Amino acid sequence: MNLQDFNIKIYPLKDKIFRFAKRMLEQTEEAEDIVQEVFIRMWKQREKLDEYRSLEALAMVTTKNLCLDKLKARKFPVESWNGQRQFIEAIAEEIRPDYSDIIAGVKEAMSSLPEQPRMIIHLRDIEGYGFDEIAEILGMQENAVRVALSRARKHIREILITNRSYEYQRN
Amino acid sequence: MNTKEIEGILQRYYDGETSLAEEKLLKEFFSGGDVPPQLRLHQPLFRFFTMEASETISEDNQDEILIRKLEQYKRETSSVVKSHPGKKRLYYLSGIAAGLLIMLGLIFAIKNETLKRHHDEAVRTSTELAFLETRQALLMVSVGLNTGLDAVQHFTTLDNAIGQVHKFNKFNIYQTQFINPEWMQTPSINK
């Protein structure tokens, strides 16, 4: 694979990788770092890339692994700093006019999901991947993906119902 | 698309049974303005999905990040290359040295052990040895004595010889008596 192939086949994945990383890390800067890291890793093994069936799946697997590593490394010490970061980003989101409270509630509900169902619902409902692709990226059985997806969707629905009842109480 | 149909698809959506096409249909339906009140609960969910899917990475500082990452890699790889041969050699040397030390230690320990065992044995058999030594010495003495006896044997021969000589002497005396001039002169028998 030469630079031109790389630019055609892998570079356009940058937004997908970014969104996936941001969903996992909930932080723009770190997600941007992950994108470049994934590109570098892919470039380093460019000789072997032709052997892979799906470069997109490979890129997403790499993203997933890097994000999980980062989350593992993060655990406690950075928590407070990360909280601040999230607060600043929340303010930035509020400035966006189309980002209503209710949609922010969905985002919160997504954040409350554990890593795996969050990845599944992101890959399916935001990126529109098929079950086979999700199974490949996450290293799961297709059926398990389906079950986890259903559970995650219902979990979000529960939160939406609770939020709405609060809103009724307020009004 | 009527409400009943949408409700059916929604039900299957939450059960994880919808196809990608049906999910796309739901997103389109909820992004529209005229959503019936009983379905409004689900609207933010699909709006959120649509909105999130359009988020892109900002191009502003991507080059900066890439350069920083590459420099980090360069540092890592160069440090690996630099330190590699020396470190490797040191590893091998330390391995060899450790092996030699262990071997020397073992040899020393074994040697010590065998020496100690010999010593113990010697102590254990020292009385026996003393006895054997004494016997050896006594034997030597007795052999020496025997060689002395051999020499003494010659004395007996001499004694015999002297005995012979003695006999001869007796004969001589007899002879002198026999050839006594007195006897010669006066035959006593005839007397």
Side-chain angles (χ1 to χ4, degrees), chain B:
Chain B
M1 176 81 32
N2 68 49
T3 312
K4 269 269 175 298
E5 272 179 279
I6 293 290
E7 274 179 339
I9 297 174
L10 259 181
Q11 188 53 52
R12 290 197 294 114
Y13 169 81
Y14 284 111
D15 290 334
E17 285 163 4
T18 40
S19 66
L20 283 170
E22 286 171 317
E23 285 162 22
K24 201 178 168 200
L25 205 131
L26 283 176
K27 282 179 200 164
E28 276 164 13
F29 175 80
F30 282 108
S31 63
D34 49 343
V35 174
Q38 69 268 36
L39 293 178
R40 290 239 170 97
L41 172 72
H42 313 281
Q43 193 170 18
L45 185 62
F46 293 97
R47 282 212 170 162
F48 173 79
F49 291 151
T50 313
M51 216 181 295
E52 289 292 296
S54 65
E55 189 177 9
T56 55
I57 188 167
S58 82
E59 300 282 339
D60 302 344
N61 48 3
Q62 285 311 294
D63 293 345
E64 203 181 299
I65 294 169
L66 185 60
I67 286 163
R68 183 157 50 80
K69 287 259 164 208
L70 285 173
E71 251 156 29
Q72 187 187 324
Y73 268 106
K74 218 161 102 188
R75 237 179 298 126
E76 277 170 17
T77 47
S78 68
S79 66
V80 164
V81 166
K82 256 181 217 161
S83 67
H84 205 236
K87 244 185 192 170
K88 210 170 186 180
R89 196 176 302 155
L90 201 73
Y91 273 128
Y92 278 122
L93 277 177
S94 60
I96 290 165
L100 275 176
L101 267 175
I102 289 167
M103 271 173 71
L104 277 174
L106 273 174
I107 288 168
F108 192 73
I110 287 165
K111 214 170 184 181
N112 228 6
E113 189 62 28
T114 43
L115 272 177
K116 208 177 155 194
R117 196 171 296 161
H118 275 299
H119 180 70
D120 284 354
E121 223 167 288
V123 167
R124 188 151 37 76
T125 57
S126 64
T127 41
E128 211 178 319
L129 219 90
F131 169 70
L132 282 171
E133 284 287 330
T134 321
R135 207 168 71 164
Q136 187 82 12
L138 285 174
L139 262 169
M140 261 164 74
V141 167
S142 93
V143 166
L145 217 66
N146 277 347
T147 43
L149 274 175
D150 275 352
V152 171
Q153 214 81 41
H154 291 294
F155 277 103
T156 29
T157 339
L158 194 72
D159 250 8
N160 281 349
I162 286 171
Q164 299 275 339
V165 170
H166 233 68
K167 274 185 188 165
F168 200 70
N169 206 23
K170 267 183 184 166
F171 177 73
N172 249 4
I173 290 165
Y174 181 76
Q175 218 179 24
T176 43
Q177 269 180 5
F178 199 73
I179 55 165
N180 200 338
E182 266 175 45
W183 179 77
M184 291 279 267
Q185 284 159 12
T186 50
S188 57
I189 306 164
N190 292 342
K191 266 186 208 176

Side-chain angles (χ1 to χ4, degrees), chain A residues 11 14-15 19 22-23 32-33 36-37 40 44 99 102-103 124-125 146 150 153-154 157, chain B residues 13-16 18 20 23 27 44 51-53 55-59 62 65-66 68-69 73:
Chain A
Y11 186 70
K14 65 186 193 320
D15 292 324
R19 287 193 292 263
K22 198 181 168 188
R23 178 72 49 221
E32 286 171 348
D33 269 27
Q36 299 298 352
E37 184 87 35
I40 291 169
K44 275 168 86 180
Y99 223 93
I102 301 162
I103 288 174
R124 177 71 182 189
D125 285 332
R146 215 177 276 268
S150 163
R153 283 169 174 172
K154 281 174 179 165
R157 184 175 59 181
Chain B
Y13 169 81
Y14 284 111
D15 290 334
T18 40
L20 283 170
E23 285 162 22
K27 282 179 200 164
M51 216 181 295
E52 289 292 296
E55 189 177 9
T56 55
I57 188 167
S58 82
E59 300 282 339
Q62 285 311 294
I65 294 169
L66 185 60
R68 183 157 50 80
K69 287 259 164 208
Y73 268 106

